[in-house]
Amino acid sequence: MFEFQVIINGLLLGGLYALMAIGMSLIWGVTNVINLAHGALIMLGAYTTFWLFKLLNIDPFVSLAISFTTLFVFGFLVQKYIINFVIRAKMFITLLLTFGLDILITNVAQTAWTSNFRQTSPAYSANGFSFGFITVPYVRLSAFIISIILVFALYIFLKKTKTGQAIRAVSQDIDAARLMGINVAKTFALTFAIGSGLAGVAGSMIGVLMPITPQMGGIFTLKSFVVALVGGLGTIFGPLVGGLFLGLAETLGSFHLGAKYADIIVFGILVLTLIVKPTGILGKNDE
Amino acid sequence: MLKIAKLSAGYADTQVLWDIDLYIKKGETVALIGSNGAGKSTLLESVIGLVKPKSGSILFDGKAVFGENINIPTRERVKIGMSLAPQGRHLFPDMTVEENIALGAFVEKDRLKIKEELEKMYELFPRVYERKNHPAGKLSGGEQQMVAIARALMSKPKLLMIDELSLGLAPVIVDVLIEIIHDISKSGTSLLVVEQDVQVALSVAKRAYVLETGRIVMEGKSEKLLNNPQIQSAYLGI
Ligand SMILES: Nc1ncnc2c1ncn2[C@@H]1O[C@H](COP(=O)(O)OP(=O)(O)OP(=O)(O)O)[C@@H](O)[C@H]1O
Ligand SMILES: [Mg+2]
C-alpha cells in the first residue's frame, strides 16, 4: 500500500518535472540553444504569481496566464535583442551568454526582492483528498494535469497552426524554411517566447509548492536539462515521458535506498542515457 | 522576368562568382551548365537571397531585389514569385510528404487555396500522392525530387529554379521529370534549371548558359551549344 503512495508521489513529481522542462526542451530542440537561464525564468514566473497573490490577491491558477504572458514577452525580447546575435555561433558561445543572463536575472531579482524566502500560499495549498491510504495534494495534482494539457496543446499548436509549422520547419532545416518564405528570426523569437512562457507557468506552480528565492532557479535548470535529454530532444512528448520517468525513479529510489540517493539516481540516469541512447527515450536512433 | 547584371558573389574571403550577366524572358526555360564547383548553386542561391552577393544587381519582374543598398529577404522574393528546389532537395525529413508540399505555400494565407494547389500537385505527380502520408526522409531519390519540385511550385512561382534536376536519378525518372518540366513551362512559368547532364539540360531548355569557375563562358540556343566542339569535348566526351 505504501508502495502505491510512493508511485503516486513519483508520478506527481514527474508531472512537475515535465512542466519545468517543456519550455527548455522546445527551445533547445528548435534553436539548438541550451538556455542556462531557464531556471531563472521559472523563478521570475514564481515571483510573478507570488506578488500578484500577495498584493492583489489573485489566485495562482488565474495568474498562470499572466505569468505565461509576462514571460512570453520577456523571452521574445531577450531572444530578439540578445540571443539572436549569437544564434549561429558555436554552442559554447550561447552557453556562455545564457549563463551570463542567468546570473544577471538572478542578481537583479535579488536586488529587487531580497533573498528572503517567500511562498505563494493560498488557503488550499496544503489540502488534498484521500482514498484509502492514498493522499493526493490538490496543487500537485493540478500541476500534473496542467503539464499534460500543455504538452498536448503544444502538440496541436505545432501540428496545426501556421506558426507551429514554421517552428517545426525551422527546427528541421533552416535554409529550406527560408525558401518557404518563413521568417526565421521571428520564428526563433517566438519559439523562445513560448518556451519562456511555459517556464513562467512552471514557476507559478512551483511557487505554491516550495519556497521562492532568487537563487531557486539553478536546480530547475539542471533538472530540466536532464528531463529534456532523457526524454528525447526535439520530440514533443519527450519532456512528459522524461519527467515521469525521472520523477518515478527519483521517488522510488529515495524511498527504497534513502533520500540521499535522489540526486545520484537522477544524474546516474542522465549518464546512462548518454551512453546507451544519447537521443533520449523518444529520440530517433539514427543521426 | 529575371535580369542579372555584373553579379559577383562568394563566401567570407573566397569569391565564387565573377561579373555574371544572365537574363530569362517571361515563360522561357533556361539551363545552367557547368562542372562541379563552378558556382551554379551559388548563383541560384544569390538569386533567391540565401547568399548575399558582393556587387551587381538582380532585377525580377521589374523589381530590384538586389542592388546597391537593396537586398530584400528571401521571404519577400518568394512572395513576389521566385522559388527554388535546392540541390540535395532539403525536404523536412520528419514531416510527411503532404506537410512538406503544403509548406511550399507558407506565404499563402487562404487554406482553401492551399488545398486546391495541393490537389494540382497530386495530379502532376501521381506517385507523390501515393506516398503523401510517408515521412519525407524515407522516400527514394526520385520521389524526393518530385516532392521538392511540387513544394517549390506551391507558391505559384513566376520563376521556378531547380538545382540539379537529374543528379543521381534513374533514367526512367529523369524522363518523367523532363515531361513535367515541359508541362510546367507550358503553364507559363519561367524556369532556370541547373543540370550537369548536357543532354538533359538541352532537352528541357531552348537556351543555356555555361558557367566555368565562376564566369559565364558561353551562352546561346541549345542546338547551337550541342554542336559546339568545345561543349562536345568538355561535357559530352565526344
Ligand atoms: N557555404 C559555403 N561556404 C564556403 N564556400 C562555399 C560554400 N558553398 C559553396 N562554396 C564554394 O563555392 C564554390 C562554388 O560552389 P557551388 O556549390 O556554387 O558550385 P556548383 O557549381 O553548384 O557545384 P556542384 O556541381 O558541386 O553543385 C565551390 O568552390 C565551393 O567549395
Ligand atoms: Mg551545386
Side-chain angles (χ1 to χ4, degrees), chain A residues 160 162 168 172-173 284, chain B residues 90 94 99 106 108 111:
Chain A
K160 298 287 175 205
K162 218 138 186 164
R168 284 197 300 148
Q172 290 179 35
D173 192 323
K284 284 186 300 182
Chain B
H90 281 270
D94 298 337
E99 285 177 314
F106 186 81
E108 172 65 64
R111 274 173 192 255

Side-chain angles (χ1 to χ4, degrees), chain B residues 127-145:
Chain B
R127 275 179 86 120
V128 163
Y129 180 72
E130 290 163 29
R131 294 268 184 281
K132 66 177 184 164
N133 293 321
H134 283 241
K138 298 247 151 71
L139 299 181
S140 72
E143 290 165 343
Q144 288 198 11
Q145 184 68 304

Side-chain angles (χ1 to χ4, degrees), chain B residues 1-3 23-30 60-62 80-81 156-160 184-191 206-207:
Chain B
M1 177 72 6
L2 180 73
K3 190 166 171 24
Y23 69 89
I24 299 173
K25 287 194 227 142
K26 203 166 179 337
E28 195 182 21
T29 300
V30 170
F60 176 72
D61 209 12
I80 60 174
K156 296 196 212 159
K158 294 177 193 150
L159 171 67
L160 171 64
I184 296 170
S185 174
K186 264 184 226 142
S187 72
T189 311
S190 311
L191 282 123
K206 293 223 169 54
R207 204 158 60 79

Side-chain angles (χ1 to χ4, degrees), chain B residues 217-231:
Chain B
V217 293
M218 233 178 281
E219 181 266 327
K221 288 242 157 60
S222 296
E223 315 91 70
K224 221 175 83 193
L225 290 181
L226 259 183
N227 296 325
N228 184 302
Q230 260 173 291
I231 296 278

Side-chain angles (χ1 to χ4, degrees), chain B residues 11 14 16 34-43 87 163-164 196 211:
Chain B
Y11 304 93
T14 51
V16 174
S35 42
N36 286 328
K40 306 178 297 290
S41 299
T42 305
L43 181 54
Q87 182 168 2
D163 199 349
E164 305 288 9
Q196 302 217 25
L211 193 64

Side-chain angles (χ1 to χ4, degrees), chain A residues 2-24:
Chain A
F2 223 60
E3 188 79 20
F4 199 59
Q5 174 75 55
V6 175
I7 290 176
I8 295 281
N9 290 352
L11 287 174
L12 292 177
L13 180 67
L16 199 61
Y17 280 172
L19 189 57
M20 282 165 21
I22 304 170
M24 185 182 219

